[in-house]
Amino acid sequence: GYKIATPHDASQRRRANELVILTNNHGQAAGQSLQPFKNLMTPDILALQETPGRAQKYLADPSYAEFKYAESLGEFTVLSRFPLRNGSLVSVVAPATGRNVTYAARFEVDWNGNPIVLYSVHLPSPRGALLAMRGGAFLYGLPAPSTSKWAMNGAKMQTFWTQQIELAENLISRVKAETLPTILAGDFNS
């Protein structure tokens, strides 16, 4: 049968040097509550995507009372048992498209006096590119006039994947430049 997870004392069984982070793309929740899993896992930090401006709502909700700190930046909301500092959105102009893409938010967390960095990531969804592959995508690679439907769709898909790689490389370079311990969490859509 179906069993609903219930709160337990997992946080008390943790070692002092353990930090539990739960991430969730709320836009893909399909109406399902995160509560049962959150209560089972007892995370120290929730990194949520597609939750614009919801920090204060979560702080006022008694079922999230374990989190004393919250911040929303763009579509990203982070709830934490530890103080949050210096939040900022992460954007880049993707060379493949020339468009500015905000794909993450960076937060500093004061974890028991130790500063750490948390990136909440949400790369663009590949749904459109993957759905386009259903209708004879092998044809996109065949020689065809550049103005043909097949060539244009192939170029569009290639541009999407090129941008996805550019965003991932940008994130990697940012993380390599960090001087604090750094954690990546989120929806990488890969």
mmCIF file with all atom_site columns, all heavy atoms in Angstrom, residues 98-125:
data_model
loop_
_atom_site.group_PDB
_atom_site.id
_atom_site.type_symbol
_atom_site.label_atom_id
_atom_site.label_alt_id
_atom_site.label_comp_id
_atom_site.label_asym_id
_atom_site.label_entity_id
_atom_site.label_seq_id
_atom_site.pdbx_PDB_ins_code
_atom_site.Cartn_x
_atom_site.Cartn_y
_atom_site.Cartn_z
_atom_site.occupancy
_atom_site.B_iso_or_equiv
_atom_site.pdbx_formal_charge
_atom_site.auth_seq_id
_atom_site.auth_comp_id
_atom_site.auth_asym_id
_atom_site.auth_atom_id
_atom_site.pdbx_PDB_model_num
ATOM 1   N N   . GLY A 1 98  ? 22.672 35.196 -28.076 1.00 0.00 ? 98  GLY A N   1
ATOM 2   C CA  . GLY A 1 98  ? 22.787 36.628 -27.846 1.00 0.00 ? 98  GLY A CA  1
ATOM 3   C C   . GLY A 1 98  ? 21.813 37.137 -26.796 1.00 0.00 ? 98  GLY A C   1
ATOM 4   O O   . GLY A 1 98  ? 21.691 38.331 -26.581 1.00 0.00 ? 98  GLY A O   1
ATOM 5   N N   . ARG A 1 99  ? 21.105 36.215 -26.124 1.00 0.00 ? 99  ARG A N   1
ATOM 6   C CA  . ARG A 1 99  ? 20.123 36.608 -25.109 1.00 0.00 ? 99  ARG A CA  1
ATOM 7   C C   . ARG A 1 99  ? 20.713 36.490 -23.704 1.00 0.00 ? 99  ARG A C   1
ATOM 8   O O   . ARG A 1 99  ? 21.524 35.599 -23.431 1.00 0.00 ? 99  ARG A O   1
ATOM 9   C CB  . ARG A 1 99  ? 18.893 35.730 -25.196 1.00 0.00 ? 99  ARG A CB  1
ATOM 10  C CG  . ARG A 1 99  ? 18.040 36.019 -26.413 1.00 0.00 ? 99  ARG A CG  1
ATOM 11  C CD  . ARG A 1 99  ? 16.794 35.205 -26.383 1.00 0.00 ? 99  ARG A CD  1
ATOM 12  N NE  . ARG A 1 99  ? 17.189 33.795 -26.406 1.00 0.00 ? 99  ARG A NE  1
ATOM 13  C CZ  . ARG A 1 99  ? 16.448 32.820 -26.847 1.00 0.00 ? 99  ARG A CZ  1
ATOM 14  N NH1 . ARG A 1 99  ? 15.228 33.057 -27.269 1.00 0.00 ? 99  ARG A NH1 1
ATOM 15  N NH2 . ARG A 1 99  ? 16.881 31.580 -26.862 1.00 0.00 ? 99  ARG A NH2 1
ATOM 16  N N   . ASN A 1 100 ? 20.252 37.384 -22.837 1.00 0.00 ? 100 ASN A N   1
ATOM 17  C CA  . ASN A 1 100 ? 20.631 37.304 -21.433 1.00 0.00 ? 100 ASN A CA  1
ATOM 18  C C   . ASN A 1 100 ? 19.806 36.201 -20.776 1.00 0.00 ? 100 ASN A C   1
ATOM 19  O O   . ASN A 1 100 ? 18.581 36.209 -20.871 1.00 0.00 ? 100 ASN A O   1
ATOM 20  C CB  . ASN A 1 100 ? 20.390 38.646 -20.739 1.00 0.00 ? 100 ASN A CB  1
ATOM 21  C CG  . ASN A 1 100 ? 20.940 38.668 -19.337 1.00 0.00 ? 100 ASN A CG  1
ATOM 22  O OD1 . ASN A 1 100 ? 22.043 38.201 -19.090 1.00 0.00 ? 100 ASN A OD1 1
ATOM 23  N ND2 . ASN A 1 100 ? 20.178 39.220 -18.419 1.00 0.00 ? 100 ASN A ND2 1
ATOM 24  N N   . VAL A 1 101 ? 20.463 35.257 -20.141 1.00 0.00 ? 101 VAL A N   1
ATOM 25  C CA  . VAL A 1 101 ? 19.792 34.129 -19.507 1.00 0.00 ? 101 VAL A CA  1
ATOM 26  C C   . VAL A 1 101 ? 20.142 34.119 -18.021 1.00 0.00 ? 101 VAL A C   1
ATOM 27  O O   . VAL A 1 101 ? 21.317 34.045 -17.659 1.00 0.00 ? 101 VAL A O   1
ATOM 28  C CB  . VAL A 1 101 ? 20.209 32.785 -20.154 1.00 0.00 ? 101 VAL A CB  1
ATOM 29  C CG1 . VAL A 1 101 ? 19.500 31.625 -19.487 1.00 0.00 ? 101 VAL A CG1 1
ATOM 30  C CG2 . VAL A 1 101 ? 19.945 32.795 -21.651 1.00 0.00 ? 101 VAL A CG2 1
ATOM 31  N N   . THR A 1 102 ? 19.125 34.211 -17.174 1.00 0.00 ? 102 THR A N   1
ATOM 32  C CA  . THR A 1 102 ? 19.319 34.041 -15.736 1.00 0.00 ? 102 THR A CA  1
ATOM 33  C C   . THR A 1 102 ? 19.045 32.580 -15.433 1.00 0.00 ? 102 THR A C   1
ATOM 34  O O   . THR A 1 102 ? 17.933 32.106 -15.648 1.00 0.00 ? 102 THR A O   1
ATOM 35  C CB  . THR A 1 102 ? 18.369 34.949 -14.936 1.00 0.00 ? 102 THR A CB  1
ATOM 36  O OG1 . THR A 1 102 ? 18.652 36.302 -15.287 1.00 0.00 ? 102 THR A OG1 1
ATOM 37  C CG2 . THR A 1 102 ? 18.538 34.753 -13.440 1.00 0.00 ? 102 THR A CG2 1
ATOM 38  N N   . TYR A 1 103 ? 20.052 31.860 -14.967 1.00 0.00 ? 103 TYR A N   1
ATOM 39  C CA  . TYR A 1 103 ? 19.928 30.415 -14.807 1.00 0.00 ? 103 TYR A CA  1
ATOM 40  C C   . TYR A 1 103 ? 20.230 29.923 -13.395 1.00 0.00 ? 103 TYR A C   1
ATOM 41  O O   . TYR A 1 103 ? 20.167 28.718 -13.134 1.00 0.00 ? 103 TYR A O   1
ATOM 42  C CB  . TYR A 1 103 ? 20.818 29.682 -15.814 1.00 0.00 ? 103 TYR A CB  1
ATOM 43  C CG  . TYR A 1 103 ? 22.303 29.904 -15.585 1.00 0.00 ? 103 TYR A CG  1
ATOM 44  C CD1 . TYR A 1 103 ? 23.019 29.053 -14.743 1.00 0.00 ? 103 TYR A CD1 1
ATOM 45  C CD2 . TYR A 1 103 ? 22.973 30.952 -16.185 1.00 0.00 ? 103 TYR A CD2 1
ATOM 46  C CE1 . TYR A 1 103 ? 24.361 29.255 -14.523 1.00 0.00 ? 103 TYR A CE1 1
ATOM 47  C CE2 . TYR A 1 103 ? 24.311 31.151 -15.973 1.00 0.00 ? 103 TYR A CE2 1
ATOM 48  C CZ  . TYR A 1 103 ? 25.010 30.299 -15.130 1.00 0.00 ? 103 TYR A CZ  1
ATOM 49  O OH  . TYR A 1 103 ? 26.349 30.503 -14.901 1.00 0.00 ? 103 TYR A OH  1
ATOM 50  N N   . ALA A 1 104 ? 20.543 30.836 -12.477 1.00 0.00 ? 104 ALA A N   1
ATOM 51  C CA  . ALA A 1 104 ? 20.859 30.411 -11.111 1.00 0.00 ? 104 ALA A CA  1
ATOM 52  C C   . ALA A 1 104 ? 20.774 31.605 -10.169 1.00 0.00 ? 104 ALA A C   1
ATOM 53  O O   . ALA A 1 104 ? 20.698 32.763 -10.604 1.00 0.00 ? 104 ALA A O   1
ATOM 54  C CB  . ALA A 1 104 ? 22.262 29.797 -11.043 1.00 0.00 ? 104 ALA A CB  1
ATOM 55  N N   . ALA A 1 105 ? 20.786 31.287 -8.891  1.00 0.00 ? 105 ALA A N   1
ATOM 56  C CA  . ALA A 1 105 ? 20.940 32.303 -7.853  1.00 0.00 ? 105 ALA A CA  1
ATOM 57  C C   . ALA A 1 105 ? 22.038 31.801 -6.915  1.00 0.00 ? 105 ALA A C   1
ATOM 58  O O   . ALA A 1 105 ? 22.143 30.603 -6.635  1.00 0.00 ? 105 ALA A O   1
ATOM 59  C CB  . ALA A 1 105 ? 19.645 32.532 -7.086  1.00 0.00 ? 105 ALA A CB  1
ATOM 60  N N   . ARG A 1 106 ? 22.870 32.714 -6.476  1.00 0.00 ? 106 ARG A N   1
ATOM 61  C CA  . ARG A 1 106 ? 23.983 32.388 -5.583  1.00 0.00 ? 106 ARG A CA  1
ATOM 62  C C   . ARG A 1 106 ? 23.671 32.948 -4.201  1.00 0.00 ? 106 ARG A C   1
ATOM 63  O O   . ARG A 1 106 ? 23.306 34.119 -4.076  1.00 0.00 ? 106 ARG A O   1
ATOM 64  C CB  . ARG A 1 106 ? 25.267 33.008 -6.119  1.00 0.00 ? 106 ARG A CB  1
ATOM 65  C CG  . ARG A 1 106 ? 26.488 32.756 -5.268  1.00 0.00 ? 106 ARG A CG  1
ATOM 66  C CD  . ARG A 1 106 ? 27.654 33.615 -5.762  1.00 0.00 ? 106 ARG A CD  1
ATOM 67  N NE  . ARG A 1 106 ? 28.864 33.378 -4.996  1.00 0.00 ? 106 ARG A NE  1
ATOM 68  C CZ  . ARG A 1 106 ? 29.138 33.947 -3.826  1.00 0.00 ? 106 ARG A CZ  1
ATOM 69  N NH1 . ARG A 1 106 ? 28.280 34.806 -3.268  1.00 0.00 ? 106 ARG A NH1 1
ATOM 70  N NH2 . ARG A 1 106 ? 30.263 33.669 -3.195  1.00 0.00 ? 106 ARG A NH2 1
ATOM 71  N N   . PHE A 1 107 ? 23.808 32.117 -3.196  1.00 0.00 ? 107 PHE A N   1
ATOM 72  C CA  . PHE A 1 107 ? 23.562 32.524 -1.821  1.00 0.00 ? 107 PHE A CA  1
ATOM 73  C C   . PHE A 1 107 ? 24.767 32.146 -0.966  1.00 0.00 ? 107 PHE A C   1
ATOM 74  O O   . PHE A 1 107 ? 25.329 31.061 -1.143  1.00 0.00 ? 107 PHE A O   1
ATOM 75  C CB  . PHE A 1 107 ? 22.332 31.807 -1.234  1.00 0.00 ? 107 PHE A CB  1
ATOM 76  C CG  . PHE A 1 107 ? 21.061 32.094 -1.964  1.00 0.00 ? 107 PHE A CG  1
ATOM 77  C CD1 . PHE A 1 107 ? 20.666 31.322 -3.040  1.00 0.00 ? 107 PHE A CD1 1
ATOM 78  C CD2 . PHE A 1 107 ? 20.242 33.148 -1.572  1.00 0.00 ? 107 PHE A CD2 1
ATOM 79  C CE1 . PHE A 1 107 ? 19.484 31.572 -3.714  1.00 0.00 ? 107 PHE A CE1 1
ATOM 80  C CE2 . PHE A 1 107 ? 19.064 33.413 -2.240  1.00 0.00 ? 107 PHE A CE2 1
ATOM 81  C CZ  . PHE A 1 107 ? 18.683 32.634 -3.314  1.00 0.00 ? 107 PHE A CZ  1
ATOM 82  N N   . GLU A 1 108 ? 25.123 33.013 -0.039  1.00 0.00 ? 108 GLU A N   1
ATOM 83  C CA  . GLU A 1 108 ? 26.093 32.630 0.982   1.00 0.00 ? 108 GLU A CA  1
ATOM 84  C C   . GLU A 1 108 ? 25.296 32.234 2.214   1.00 0.00 ? 108 GLU A C   1
ATOM 85  O O   . GLU A 1 108 ? 24.328 32.887 2.584   1.00 0.00 ? 108 GLU A O   1
ATOM 86  C CB  . GLU A 1 108 ? 27.045 33.781 1.298   1.00 0.00 ? 108 GLU A CB  1
ATOM 87  C CG  . GLU A 1 108 ? 28.041 34.025 0.187   1.00 0.00 ? 108 GLU A CG  1
ATOM 88  C CD  . GLU A 1 108 ? 29.052 35.108 0.518   1.00 0.00 ? 108 GLU A CD  1
ATOM 89  O OE1 . GLU A 1 108 ? 29.317 35.364 1.717   1.00 0.00 ? 108 GLU A OE1 1
ATOM 90  O OE2 . GLU A 1 108 ? 29.575 35.708 -0.439  1.00 0.00 ? 108 GLU A OE2 1
ATOM 91  N N   . VAL A 1 109 ? 25.713 31.137 2.819   1.00 0.00 ? 109 VAL A N   1
ATOM 92  C CA  . VAL A 1 109 ? 25.043 30.589 3.991   1.00 0.00 ? 109 VAL A CA  1
ATOM 93  C C   . VAL A 1 109 ? 26.050 30.569 5.138   1.00 0.00 ? 109 VAL A C   1
ATOM 94  O O   . VAL A 1 109 ? 27.191 30.116 4.961   1.00 0.00 ? 109 VAL A O   1
ATOM 95  C CB  . VAL A 1 109 ? 24.534 29.151 3.719   1.00 0.00 ? 109 VAL A CB  1
ATOM 96  C CG1 . VAL A 1 109 ? 23.822 28.588 4.946   1.00 0.00 ? 109 VAL A CG1 1
ATOM 97  C CG2 . VAL A 1 109 ? 23.635 29.123 2.493   1.00 0.00 ? 109 VAL A CG2 1
ATOM 98  N N   . ASP A 1 110 ? 25.638 31.072 6.307   1.00 0.00 ? 110 ASP A N   1
ATOM 99  C CA  . ASP A 1 110 ? 26.478 30.991 7.497   1.00 0.00 ? 110 ASP A CA  1
ATOM 100 C C   . ASP A 1 110 ? 26.138 29.679 8.203   1.00 0.00 ? 110 ASP A C   1
ATOM 101 O O   . ASP A 1 110 ? 25.214 29.612 9.004   1.00 0.00 ? 110 ASP A O   1
ATOM 102 C CB  . ASP A 1 110 ? 26.202 32.184 8.412   1.00 0.00 ? 110 ASP A CB  1
ATOM 103 C CG  . ASP A 1 110 ? 27.075 32.179 9.655   1.00 0.00 ? 110 ASP A CG  1
ATOM 104 O OD1 . ASP A 1 110 ? 27.774 31.176 9.914   1.00 0.00 ? 110 ASP A OD1 1
ATOM 105 O OD2 . ASP A 1 110 ? 27.041 33.180 10.387  1.00 0.00 ? 110 ASP A OD2 1
ATOM 106 N N   . TRP A 1 111 ? 26.882 28.637 7.871   1.00 0.00 ? 111 TRP A N   1
ATOM 107 C CA  . TRP A 1 111 ? 26.644 27.305 8.421   1.00 0.00 ? 111 TRP A CA  1
ATOM 108 C C   . TRP A 1 111 ? 27.460 27.144 9.698   1.00 0.00 ? 111 TRP A C   1
ATOM 109 O O   . TRP A 1 111 ? 28.637 26.830 9.666   1.00 0.00 ? 111 TRP A O   1
ATOM 110 C CB  . TRP A 1 111 ? 26.995 26.242 7.392   1.00 0.00 ? 111 TRP A CB  1
ATOM 111 C CG  . TRP A 1 111 ? 26.790 24.833 7.835   1.00 0.00 ? 111 TRP A CG  1
ATOM 112 C CD1 . TRP A 1 111 ? 25.808 24.358 8.633   1.00 0.00 ? 111 TRP A CD1 1
ATOM 113 C CD2 . TRP A 1 111 ? 27.601 23.714 7.503   1.00 0.00 ? 111 TRP A CD2 1
ATOM 114 N NE1 . TRP A 1 111 ? 25.941 23.014 8.822   1.00 0.00 ? 111 TRP A NE1 1
ATOM 115 C CE2 . TRP A 1 111 ? 27.040 22.589 8.127   1.00 0.00 ? 111 TRP A CE2 1
ATOM 116 C CE3 . TRP A 1 111 ? 28.745 23.550 6.731   1.00 0.00 ? 111 TRP A CE3 1
ATOM 117 C CZ2 . TRP A 1 111 ? 27.598 21.316 8.010   1.00 0.00 ? 111 TRP A CZ2 1
ATOM 118 C CZ3 . TRP A 1 111 ? 29.284 22.293 6.615   1.00 0.00 ? 111 TRP A CZ3 1
ATOM 119 C CH2 . TRP A 1 111 ? 28.711 21.188 7.248   1.00 0.00 ? 111 TRP A CH2 1
ATOM 120 N N   . ASN A 1 112 ? 26.830 27.423 10.833  1.00 0.00 ? 112 ASN A N   1
ATOM 121 C CA  . ASN A 1 112 ? 27.482 27.318 12.142  1.00 0.00 ? 112 ASN A CA  1
ATOM 122 C C   . ASN A 1 112 ? 28.799 28.072 12.177  1.00 0.00 ? 112 ASN A C   1
ATOM 123 O O   . ASN A 1 112 ? 29.813 27.572 12.662  1.00 0.00 ? 112 ASN A O   1
ATOM 124 C CB  . ASN A 1 112 ? 27.706 25.844 12.522  1.00 0.00 ? 112 ASN A CB  1
ATOM 125 C CG  . ASN A 1 112 ? 26.406 25.101 12.697  1.00 0.00 ? 112 ASN A CG  1
ATOM 126 O OD1 . ASN A 1 112 ? 25.426 25.666 13.190  1.00 0.00 ? 112 ASN A OD1 1
ATOM 127 N ND2 . ASN A 1 112 ? 26.381 23.861 12.270  1.00 0.00 ? 112 ASN A ND2 1
ATOM 128 N N   . GLY A 1 113 ? 28.792 29.288 11.649  1.00 0.00 ? 113 GLY A N   1
ATOM 129 C CA  . GLY A 1 113 ? 29.992 30.119 11.653  1.00 0.00 ? 113 GLY A CA  1
ATOM 130 C C   . GLY A 1 113 ? 30.921 29.882 10.484  1.00 0.00 ? 113 GLY A C   1
ATOM 131 O O   . GLY A 1 113 ? 31.949 30.552 10.371  1.00 0.00 ? 113 GLY A O   1
ATOM 132 N N   . ASN A 1 114 ? 30.591 28.949 9.629   1.00 0.00 ? 114 ASN A N   1
ATOM 133 C CA  . ASN A 1 114 ? 31.407 28.661 8.449   1.00 0.00 ? 114 ASN A CA  1
ATOM 134 C C   . ASN A 1 114 ? 30.661 29.143 7.206   1.00 0.00 ? 114 ASN A C   1
ATOM 135 O O   . ASN A 1 114 ? 29.600 28.615 6.893   1.00 0.00 ? 114 ASN A O   1
ATOM 136 C CB  . ASN A 1 114 ? 31.660 27.156 8.319   1.00 0.00 ? 114 ASN A CB  1
ATOM 137 C CG  . ASN A 1 114 ? 32.379 26.597 9.520   1.00 0.00 ? 114 ASN A CG  1
ATOM 138 O OD1 . ASN A 1 114 ? 33.467 27.040 9.839   1.00 0.00 ? 114 ASN A OD1 1
ATOM 139 N ND2 . ASN A 1 114 ? 31.764 25.648 10.193  1.00 0.00 ? 114 ASN A ND2 1
ATOM 140 N N   . PRO A 1 115 ? 31.230 30.113 6.493   1.00 0.00 ? 115 PRO A N   1
ATOM 141 C CA  . PRO A 1 115 ? 30.548 30.563 5.281   1.00 0.00 ? 115 PRO A CA  1
ATOM 142 C C   . PRO A 1 115 ? 30.697 29.530 4.157   1.00 0.00 ? 115 PRO A C   1
ATOM 143 O O   . PRO A 1 115 ? 31.788 29.011 3.921   1.00 0.00 ? 115 PRO A O   1
ATOM 144 C CB  . PRO A 1 115 ? 31.253 31.868 4.926   1.00 0.00 ? 115 PRO A CB  1
ATOM 145 C CG  . PRO A 1 115 ? 32.598 31.772 5.569   1.00 0.00 ? 115 PRO A CG  1
ATOM 146 C CD  . PRO A 1 115 ? 32.438 30.883 6.770   1.00 0.00 ? 115 PRO A CD  1
ATOM 147 N N   . ILE A 1 116 ? 29.582 29.239 3.499   1.00 0.00 ? 116 ILE A N   1
ATOM 148 C CA  . ILE A 1 116 ? 29.580 28.365 2.329   1.00 0.00 ? 116 ILE A CA  1
ATOM 149 C C   . ILE A 1 116 ? 28.740 29.036 1.253   1.00 0.00 ? 116 ILE A C   1
ATOM 150 O O   . ILE A 1 116 ? 27.958 29.945 1.542   1.00 0.00 ? 116 ILE A O   1
ATOM 151 C CB  . ILE A 1 116 ? 29.029 26.949 2.635   1.00 0.00 ? 116 ILE A CB  1
ATOM 152 C CG1 . ILE A 1 116 ? 27.559 27.009 3.075   1.00 0.00 ? 116 ILE A CG1 1
ATOM 153 C CG2 . ILE A 1 116 ? 29.888 26.226 3.668   1.00 0.00 ? 116 ILE A CG2 1
ATOM 154 C CD1 . ILE A 1 116 ? 26.889 25.654 3.180   1.00 0.00 ? 116 ILE A CD1 1
ATOM 155 N N   . VAL A 1 117 ? 28.891 28.583 0.029   1.00 0.00 ? 117 VAL A N   1
ATOM 156 C CA  . VAL A 1 117 ? 28.133 29.132 -1.090  1.00 0.00 ? 117 VAL A CA  1
ATOM 157 C C   . VAL A 1 117 ? 27.185 28.058 -1.604  1.00 0.00 ? 117 VAL A C   1
ATOM 158 O O   . VAL A 1 117 ? 27.570 26.892 -1.740  1.00 0.00 ? 117 VAL A O   1
ATOM 159 C CB  . VAL A 1 117 ? 29.076 29.600 -2.224  1.00 0.00 ? 117 VAL A CB  1
ATOM 160 C CG1 . VAL A 1 117 ? 28.289 29.983 -3.468  1.00 0.00 ? 117 VAL A CG1 1
ATOM 161 C CG2 . VAL A 1 117 ? 29.934 30.762 -1.750  1.00 0.00 ? 117 VAL A CG2 1
ATOM 162 N N   . LEU A 1 118 ? 25.952 28.468 -1.871  1.00 0.00 ? 118 LEU A N   1
ATOM 163 C CA  . LEU A 1 118 ? 24.956 27.585 -2.472  1.00 0.00 ? 118 LEU A CA  1
ATOM 164 C C   . LEU A 1 118 ? 24.469 28.225 -3.764  1.00 0.00 ? 118 LEU A C   1
ATOM 165 O O   . LEU A 1 118 ? 24.039 29.378 -3.763  1.00 0.00 ? 118 LEU A O   1
ATOM 166 C CB  . LEU A 1 118 ? 23.759 27.388 -1.522  1.00 0.00 ? 118 LEU A CB  1
ATOM 167 C CG  . LEU A 1 118 ? 22.539 26.703 -2.129  1.00 0.00 ? 118 LEU A CG  1
ATOM 168 C CD1 . LEU A 1 118 ? 22.836 25.240 -2.470  1.00 0.00 ? 118 LEU A CD1 1
ATOM 169 C CD2 . LEU A 1 118 ? 21.349 26.818 -1.199  1.00 0.00 ? 118 LEU A CD2 1
ATOM 170 N N   . TYR A 1 119 ? 24.564 27.473 -4.848  1.00 0.00 ? 119 TYR A N   1
ATOM 171 C CA  . TYR A 1 119 ? 23.961 27.882 -6.109  1.00 0.00 ? 119 TYR A CA  1
ATOM 172 C C   . TYR A 1 119 ? 22.686 27.075 -6.294  1.00 0.00 ? 119 TYR A C   1
ATOM 173 O O   . TYR A 1 119 ? 22.721 25.845 -6.268  1.00 0.00 ? 119 TYR A O   1
ATOM 174 C CB  . TYR A 1 119 ? 24.890 27.584 -7.298  1.00 0.00 ? 119 TYR A CB  1
ATOM 175 C CG  . TYR A 1 119 ? 26.017 28.561 -7.489  1.00 0.00 ? 119 TYR A CG  1
ATOM 176 C CD1 . TYR A 1 119 ? 27.226 28.387 -6.829  1.00 0.00 ? 119 TYR A CD1 1
ATOM 177 C CD2 . TYR A 1 119 ? 25.877 29.643 -8.347  1.00 0.00 ? 119 TYR A CD2 1
ATOM 178 C CE1 . TYR A 1 119 ? 28.278 29.272 -7.024  1.00 0.00 ? 119 TYR A CE1 1
ATOM 179 C CE2 . TYR A 1 119 ? 26.924 30.531 -8.546  1.00 0.00 ? 119 TYR A CE2 1
ATOM 180 C CZ  . TYR A 1 119 ? 28.121 30.342 -7.879  1.00 0.00 ? 119 TYR A CZ  1
ATOM 181 O OH  . TYR A 1 119 ? 29.158 31.216 -8.070  1.00 0.00 ? 119 TYR A OH  1
ATOM 182 N N   . SER A 1 120 ? 21.572 27.777 -6.448  1.00 0.00 ? 120 SER A N   1
ATOM 183 C CA  . SER A 1 120 ? 20.321 27.131 -6.841  1.00 0.00 ? 120 SER A CA  1
ATOM 184 C C   . SER A 1 120 ? 20.220 27.329 -8.350  1.00 0.00 ? 120 SER A C   1
ATOM 185 O O   . SER A 1 120 ? 20.174 28.459 -8.835  1.00 0.00 ? 120 SER A O   1
ATOM 186 C CB  . SER A 1 120 ? 19.132 27.768 -6.125  1.00 0.00 ? 120 SER A CB  1
ATOM 187 O OG  . SER A 1 120 ? 17.926 27.136 -6.509  1.00 0.00 ? 120 SER A OG  1
ATOM 188 N N   . VAL A 1 121 ? 20.216 26.216 -9.086  1.00 0.00 ? 121 VAL A N   1
ATOM 189 C CA  . VAL A 1 121 ? 20.363 26.243 -10.545 1.00 0.00 ? 121 VAL A CA  1
ATOM 190 C C   . VAL A 1 121 ? 19.073 25.809 -11.227 1.00 0.00 ? 121 VAL A C   1
ATOM 191 O O   . VAL A 1 121 ? 18.403 24.880 -10.767 1.00 0.00 ? 121 VAL A O   1
ATOM 192 C CB  . VAL A 1 121 ? 21.515 25.292 -10.968 1.00 0.00 ? 121 VAL A CB  1
ATOM 193 C CG1 . VAL A 1 121 ? 21.675 25.268 -12.482 1.00 0.00 ? 121 VAL A CG1 1
ATOM 194 C CG2 . VAL A 1 121 ? 22.821 25.676 -10.282 1.00 0.00 ? 121 VAL A CG2 1
ATOM 195 N N   . HIS A 1 122 ? 18.743 26.483 -12.319 1.00 0.00 ? 122 HIS A N   1
ATOM 196 C CA  . HIS A 1 122 ? 17.647 26.033 -13.179 1.00 0.00 ? 122 HIS A CA  1
ATOM 197 C C   . HIS A 1 122 ? 17.998 26.379 -14.623 1.00 0.00 ? 122 HIS A C   1
ATOM 198 O O   . HIS A 1 122 ? 17.737 27.485 -15.097 1.00 0.00 ? 122 HIS A O   1
ATOM 199 C CB  . HIS A 1 122 ? 16.325 26.686 -12.777 1.00 0.00 ? 122 HIS A CB  1
ATOM 200 C CG  . HIS A 1 122 ? 15.155 26.133 -13.521 1.00 0.00 ? 122 HIS A CG  1
ATOM 201 N ND1 . HIS A 1 122 ? 13.948 26.785 -13.584 1.00 0.00 ? 122 HIS A ND1 1
ATOM 202 C CD2 . HIS A 1 122 ? 14.986 24.996 -14.242 1.00 0.00 ? 122 HIS A CD2 1
ATOM 203 C CE1 . HIS A 1 122 ? 13.099 26.074 -14.304 1.00 0.00 ? 122 HIS A CE1 1
ATOM 204 N NE2 . HIS A 1 122 ? 13.724 24.982 -14.732 1.00 0.00 ? 122 HIS A NE2 1
ATOM 205 N N   . LEU A 1 123 ? 18.620 25.424 -15.305 1.00 0.00 ? 123 LEU A N   1
ATOM 206 C CA  . LEU A 1 123 ? 18.938 25.616 -16.718 1.00 0.00 ? 123 LEU A CA  1
ATOM 207 C C   . LEU A 1 123 ? 17.660 25.508 -17.537 1.00 0.00 ? 123 LEU A C   1
ATOM 208 O O   . LEU A 1 123 ? 16.708 24.840 -17.127 1.00 0.00 ? 123 LEU A O   1
ATOM 209 C CB  . LEU A 1 123 ? 19.967 24.583 -17.176 1.00 0.00 ? 123 LEU A CB  1
ATOM 210 C CG  . LEU A 1 123 ? 21.363 24.717 -16.556 1.00 0.00 ? 123 LEU A CG  1
ATOM 211 C CD1 . LEU A 1 123 ? 22.273 23.610 -17.079 1.00 0.00 ? 123 LEU A CD1 1
ATOM 212 C CD2 . LEU A 1 123 ? 21.972 26.075 -16.832 1.00 0.00 ? 123 LEU A CD2 1
ATOM 213 N N   . PRO A 1 124 ? 17.616 26.145 -18.715 1.00 0.00 ? 124 PRO A N   1
ATOM 214 C CA  . PRO A 1 124 ? 16.401 26.089 -19.548 1.00 0.00 ? 124 PRO A CA  1
ATOM 215 C C   . PRO A 1 124 ? 15.991 24.651 -19.860 1.00 0.00 ? 124 PRO A C   1
ATOM 216 O O   . PRO A 1 124 ? 16.829 23.766 -20.044 1.00 0.00 ? 124 PRO A O   1
ATOM 217 C CB  . PRO A 1 124 ? 16.817 26.832 -20.816 1.00 0.00 ? 124 PRO A CB  1
ATOM 218 C CG  . PRO A 1 124 ? 17.902 27.764 -20.370 1.00 0.00 ? 124 PRO A CG  1
ATOM 219 C CD  . PRO A 1 124 ? 18.642 27.009 -19.301 1.00 0.00 ? 124 PRO A CD  1
ATOM 220 N N   . SER A 1 125 ? 14.697 24.451 -19.946 1.00 0.00 ? 125 SER A N   1
ATOM 221 C CA  . SER A 1 125 ? 14.155 23.124 -20.228 1.00 0.00 ? 125 SER A CA  1
ATOM 222 C C   . SER A 1 125 ? 14.453 22.707 -21.660 1.00 0.00 ? 125 SER A C   1
ATOM 223 O O   . SER A 1 125 ? 14.239 23.491 -22.589 1.00 0.00 ? 125 SER A O   1
ATOM 224 C CB  . SER A 1 125 ? 12.644 23.114 -20.006 1.00 0.00 ? 125 SER A CB  1
ATOM 225 O OG  . SER A 1 125 ? 12.107 21.887 -20.456 1.00 0.00 ? 125 SER A OG  1
#
